Amino acid sequence: MHDELIAQAQAWLTEDPDPDTRTELARLIDAKDETELAARFSGTLQFGTAGLRGELGAGPMRMNRSVVIRAAAGLAAYLKKQGPPAREGEAGLVVIGYDARHKSHDFAQDTAAVMIGAGLRAAVLPRPLPTPVLAFAIRHLGAVAGVEVTASHNPPRDNGYKVYLGDGSQIVPPADIDIAAEIAAVPSLTTVPRPTEGWDTLDDSVLDAYLARTDAVLSEGSPRTARTVYTAMHGVGKDVLLAAFARAGFPAPVLVAEQADPDPEFPTVAFPNPEEPGAMDLAFATARALSGESAPDLIIANDPDADRCAVAVQDGTDGTGWRMLRGDEVGALLAAHLVRRGATGTFAESIVSSSLLGRIAEKAGLPHVETLTGFKWIARAEGLRYGYEEALGYCVDPDGVRDKDGITAALLITELASQLKEEGRTLLDLLDDLAVEHGLHATDQLSVRVEDLSLIAAAMGRLREQPPTELAGLPITRTDDLTQGTAELPPTDGLRYTLDGARVIVRPSGTEPKLKCYLEVVIPVGSHEDLPAARAKATALLEAIKRDLSTAAGI
């Protein structure tokens, strides 16, 4: 096995176009580091509905230029088999965006070269920009596909490759399977033409068009008074968000200086995800340092590629207490705001998100649908007007960006905060109103990060072989194994438990080595005076469900 592994590594090395990964791999071969080589050559990074995502490094199980060139070649072959583009007689256009992570620019350039070599046209965004700008550009430019090089909120050592088709939404089956087959059919890198020129590097006109489109998000003449603190989490959101806020006429956000500019090392956070413990600490400190007329009404955070939006609010009257709103809370607030503005069309969410959206839509007489997790599914809801998922993703302008967009979501939540401010109210006051009107919908998550992926499969296996009959003393009235699919949902690896007044969904993450359990309890509320007791009851129930579920899954 040792000789075979070394031979595999040497064959890869001869084709590797990147001097950095060539040096890395040569060092492993010289050291005869069988453990590390086996990890790099135990298979290939699998292309799926999330595209590619993984740790940077040499070998087929890592993200590197060789893997990206093969992925681009497979995508190009798939696109050419799809038939002629919309404009007859002209090669289809693939537009490519990238973030500020290590190697992102290289991967974008390689993708453009492969597309030109395959007889397609290619255009690369002018610099690292938010993922929503790429999603917008696909439809704006009439492209047949788009690629965004990003690992979103993953750790610094990771990168990824997200693929969109011409409708501006991310790929879903069977496109992922067909593209993966084309990637597997690439015999070697020597068969992939990669000219050194021929693609366009776009100017700022696409970004200007995206910013012009943000006008559609806000109501004409709406209040624009809310003050914000903003963190880009070392990502690419700052300049675009500041431009959008200035265009809208909001007060300029106060920046979290330590996290304002792109830095692929993400030096101030363990994980560059606003949901992770500690990630928002600098933002909270920045907000607490402001007082008087400068005191902020809310904190806004984007993840590094700015497709997600986190919101924090003052929780108390002394200006020192801040808390993050859950994604489900922001999702409900935005929905209520859109309903109040008279929005029509379908409200959509993933199955792991709060059922409160359905209550709000039903009361407003609007269609409501649940989809599988991910905006690749939410964006495909028929007649979509608004979509969200609990992981801080919101689509508030589907005609402009058919994906989650942390910039336009930030605009809309700041408009809502401004409107409430004019009324002497806050986002928390509106959440209280929604709880009284529809019941308190409290959500939480049990999330377990693992080094060994087999632990996730083992936990799912335990739950299927020995299914729990109750959680937190609540009987489980229905269990759905989502691998079978339902009348509304295609198959996915997940379990859904319906309880009396609660709901639990368990699934492996599609983008990280995590097992995720999504919990919701619904407590009827008679009046605002009943809210403290309802919240205490909900908190206790959620903690008990977590404990029992953890025991049942063996995690």
Side-chain angles (χ1 to χ4, degrees), residues 492-516:
T492 188
D493 186 9
L495 293 163
R496 177 168 59 187
Y497 303 111
T498 304
L499 298 86
D500 185 14
R503 183 216 65 198
V504 174
I505 293 175
V506 184
R507 61 178 282 272
S509 170
T511 55
E512 297 178 272
K514 282 182 175 181
L515 182 68
K516 290 188 168 184

Side-chain angles (χ1 to χ4, degrees), residues 202-485:
L202 296 167
D203 59 20
D204 276 356
S205 59
V206 168
L207 177 58
D208 293 343
Y210 168 83
L211 288 169
R213 176 70 205 180
T214 63
D215 295 347
V217 173
L218 304 176
S219 295
E220 191 173 345
S222 63
R224 311 280 166 96
T225 55
R227 297 189 173 277
T228 56
V229 163
Y230 171 71
T231 174
M233 208 67 68
H234 299 296
V236 299
K238 179 193 71 172
D239 291 345
V240 179
L241 182 129
L242 290 180
F245 269 55
R247 183 183 181 94
F250 289 114
V254 174
L255 300 177
V256 178
E258 302 93 327
Q259 298 174 334
D261 295 319
D263 188 334
E265 290 298 318
F266 305 103
T268 69
V269 289
F271 288 93
N273 178 355
E275 292 179 294
E276 292 284 349
M280 294 289 287
D281 286 357
L282 285 171
F284 294 153
T286 302
R288 283 194 293 267
L290 299 168
S291 59
E293 289 198 0
S294 299
D297 301 291
L298 68 166
I299 298 170
I300 288 172
N302 287 140
D303 66 338
D305 70 325
D307 62 352
R308 288 174 169 82
C309 176
V311 180
V313 295
Q314 271 195 48
D315 198 6
T317 56
D318 61 359
T320 61
W322 287 84
R323 80 166 175 93
M324 274 269 289
L325 294 179
R326 301 191 68 84
D328 285 318
E329 292 176 309
V330 177
L333 288 168
L334 292 175
H337 184 43
L338 289 170
V339 165
R340 183 171 171 179
R341 281 178 25 179
T344 58
T346 300
F347 280 25
E349 63 181 323
S350 61
I351 57 171
V352 300
S353 302
S354 172
S355 59
L356 177 55
L357 184 69
R359 303 274 183 98
I360 293 170
E362 182 182 22
K363 181 79 179 287
L366 297 175
H368 168 255
V369 298
E370 289 185 322
T371 74
L372 291 185
T373 307
F375 265 82
K376 56 184 174 282
W377 298 108
I378 295 169
R380 285 175 163 75
E382 187 175 346
L384 180 66
R385 174 58 187 88
Y386 168 66
Y388 99 92
E389 63 179 0
E390 53 72 44
L392 311 182
Y394 315 95
C395 175
V396 302
D397 177 28
D399 290 341
V401 175
R402 205 122 187 123
D403 197 8
K404 57 186 175 289
D405 182 345
I407 305 295
T408 51
L411 288 171
L412 194 62
I413 197 71
T414 307
E415 179 186 61
L416 172 58
S418 298
Q419 188 172 316
L420 291 167
K421 186 178 183 178
E422 298 291 299
E423 299 167 4
R425 287 158 40 83
T426 68
L427 295 175
L428 293 180
D429 292 328
L430 180 52
L431 283 172
D432 287 351
D433 292 349
L434 291 172
V436 172
E437 185 174 2
H438 302 289
L440 176 67
H441 290 63
T443 58
D444 203 352
Q445 191 179 127
L446 173 63
S447 182
V448 182
R449 184 180 293 271
V450 300
E451 292 292 327
D452 180 359
L453 289 175
S454 69
L455 296 175
I456 293 177
M460 295 298 290
R462 270 189 291 274
L463 289 171
R464 287 188 168 105
E465 290 158 18
Q466 298 174 296
T469 56
E470 66 173 34
L471 296 169
L474 301 174
I476 294 175
T477 58
R478 176 173 170 173
T479 299
D480 296 308
D481 189 338
L482 300 176
T483 53
Q484 309 302 313

Side-chain angles (χ1 to χ4, degrees), residues 75-268:
L75 174 60
Y78 167 83
L79 293 172
K80 292 183 78 172
K81 286 184 178 178
Q82 295 307 296
R87 287 187 287 216
E88 196 63 47
E90 191 174 40
L93 172 67
V94 178
V95 61
I96 302 150
Y98 59 101
D99 66 12
R101 285 177 178 266
H102 293 299
K103 297 292 181 182
S104 287
H105 179 261
D106 293 344
F107 295 167
Q109 295 291 305
D110 281 331
T111 300
V114 171
M115 296 303 157
I116 297 299
L120 295 162
R121 292 181 297 136
V124 183
L125 293 183
R127 59 185 171 280
L129 286 167
T131 293
V133 177
L134 180 276
F136 168 83
I138 294 165
R139 297 170 77 183
H140 178 68
L141 297 173
V144 295
V147 171
E148 176 70 17
V149 181
T150 182
S152 190
H153 55 272
N154 276 37
R157 65 178 180 270
D158 289 0
N159 213 328
Y161 198 80
K162 188 183 294 187
V163 176
Y164 297 75
L165 294 182
D167 62 355
S169 54
Q170 298 173 49
I171 55 169
V172 294
D176 59 331
I177 298 162
D178 295 341
I179 295 169
E182 296 290 351
I183 295 169
V186 177
S188 79
L189 293 194
T190 59
T191 66
V192 181
R194 284 185 294 128
T196 57
E197 58 184 15
W199 59 90
D200 294 326
T201 299
L202 296 167
D203 59 20
D204 276 356
S205 59
V206 168
L207 177 58
D208 293 343
Y210 168 83
L211 288 169
R213 176 70 205 180
T214 63
D215 295 347
V217 173
L218 304 176
S219 295
E220 191 173 345
S222 63
R224 311 280 166 96
T225 55
R227 297 189 173 277
T228 56
V229 163
Y230 171 71
T231 174
M233 208 67 68
H234 299 296
V236 299
K238 179 193 71 172
D239 291 345
V240 179
L241 182 129
L242 290 180
F245 269 55
R247 183 183 181 94
F250 289 114
V254 174
L255 300 177
V256 178
E258 302 93 327
Q259 298 174 334
D261 295 319
D263 188 334
E265 290 298 318
F266 305 103
T268 69

